[in-house]
Amino acid sequence: MIKVSNLKKRFDQTEVLKNINFEVNDGEVVVIIGPSGSGKSTLLRCLNFLEQPDFGTIQVGEVTVDATRVKRAEINRLRTQTSMVFQHYNLFKNKTALENVTHALIVTQKMDKNEADQIGRDLLNQVGMVQKADSYPVSLSGGQQQRVGIARALAVKPHAILFDEPTSSLDPEWVGEVLRVISGIANKRKTMLIVTHEMGFARQVADKVVFMADGVIVEQGTPEEIFDHPKNERTKQFLQEYTKQFAEDIKVDSHASSEKRDLLST
Amino acid sequence: MNFDIGYMIEIIPELLKYVPITLYLAIVSMIIAIVIGVFLALILVNKIPVLLQIAKVYISFFRGTPALVQLLMIYFGLPQLFPLLNSISAETAAIIAFSINTSAYLAEIFRAGLESVDKGQAEAAISVGMTYPEALRGIILPQAVRNAIPATGNMFIGLIKNSSLAFTIGVTELLAQGKLMATSNLKFFEAYFAVGLIYWVLTMLYSKLQEWYENRLGKAYQR
């Protein structure tokens, strides 16, 4: 399980995380939503110390660290408990798709290369990318790169996978395939923490939804509680803004298609 | 005009015998310079306190003073300060001087190379449990090397040519032998032109090698 207590983080003068407390049980999928700049990504990046928190304790799996007196070896151990899927994929540019998945296994777990390749191919197969095993990232589409990124995160058999806005920089046409892959993993009861702006996806995949704003957790609960019966004013406001935007997007879309129809009929 | 092309061709085989010593000076110096340069670049990129200040002074001094001055300082000057170095050979002194001089430039080239690698690459490596040294070796350095190769190649070409400075402290390399032949026959132009041609061919051959290597490394980055 993941347990975060009294987590605080500031960048210069701005307090990005103000005393965050929350838990994720094993096999649970937790989705974090909230406006930009609310600290969602920073929270996620504190869990593997890509950002060093200023205060608080973080427990992931069997490793617990106290931010105020943490040693490098502890940070390294904490990092082996999770893996991350990035907004910009961050595939290793000098490695093929397969090597991206197997490299950590060979380097950190000293796994035999053939064995690692076998695992790598299985995982690439799971995300529908095995036919591109020998391609380099530069020749893959965004959606394909992200699917390899997910396979890479699965390969190290982490206690939990952290998804940092995994579809935010994808062209709309690739969003669906990546979300489908993530849903597939969620169904296997893998512990996951997902920061996303895809509300429909959040509702469908989450066991628990956390709403963050201004560095605090405003409200958390089941998808029904948060999306259908939000208690807090700020949650209501955020969801309203979101639905309004969503409705406008649809209007623009249908407007465009009716224009197209007009063009076709003349 | 009295240009004795026959003489020039005749002395080339004799001059070629000194190519190995020139290449020896250049290659050994380059290898040492690369090791020092990587070390300095890592200090610069990671801003390691104290070492950072030392590295900056080192780079500034050895980039800011002529290679010839450094060579004379090391060969004639250092033994005066440290009598132990009295027995230092001219070749060794030349290699030390060239290594130090070249490493100061390489440090900046490698720093730029390391910084050109997207931060997300290291983050991704760390996020799947690699340590920083592991990330450096497998992910960051290979990408940094590719970015740094053109400028590093220029440094090596410069080093092949600058190795001729070693003749000033009595190393008989390519230029020293050319000078010997020039003065013994008083055919200065022919001798020095032959020397120049040999340097040119050496650097051209190296450029071809580098081109092939760049293509090989570039494969991963082509669609």
Side-chain angles (χ1 to χ4, degrees), chain A residues 126-144:
Chain A
Q126 260 184 55
V127 299
M129 285 296 296
V130 75
Q131 76 287 0
K132 294 280 189 184
D134 298 321
S135 303
Y136 284 95
V138 71
S139 60
L140 302 177
S141 74
Q144 291 175 325

Side-chain angles (χ1 to χ4, degrees), chain A residues 45 48 50 76 79 82-84 86 90-95 103-104 107-108 110 136 138-139 152 156, chain B residues 118-121 123-132 134 137-140 142-143 219-223:
Chain A
R45 290 165 60 85
N48 59 3
L50 286 184
N76 285 339
R79 282 170 175 161
T82 56
S83 59
M84 189 172 243
F86 296 86
N90 294 358
L91 289 192
F92 306 136
K93 290 182 187 149
N94 58 330
K95 305 271 178 211
H103 187 69
V107 170
T108 66
K110 314 285 177 231
Y136 284 95
V138 71
S139 60
R152 174 176 70 182
V156 291
Chain B
D118 177 34
K119 232 179 84 207
Q121 297 285 306
E123 289 189 348
I126 283 168
S127 77
V128 287
M130 283 185 235
T131 60
Y132 180 68
E134 284 168 350
R137 210 176 315 132
I139 309 298
I140 303 166
Q143 295 182 48
K219 265 195 205 136
Y221 307 87
Q222 283 149 12
R223 277 165 199 281

Side-chain angles (χ1 to χ4, degrees), chain B residues 167-184:
Chain B
F167 102 96
T168 57
I169 59 169
V171 179
T172 316
E173 42 65 77
L174 188 51
L175 175 59
Q177 181 60 20
K179 183 170 187 276
L180 215 68
M181 294 177 138
T183 41
S184 66

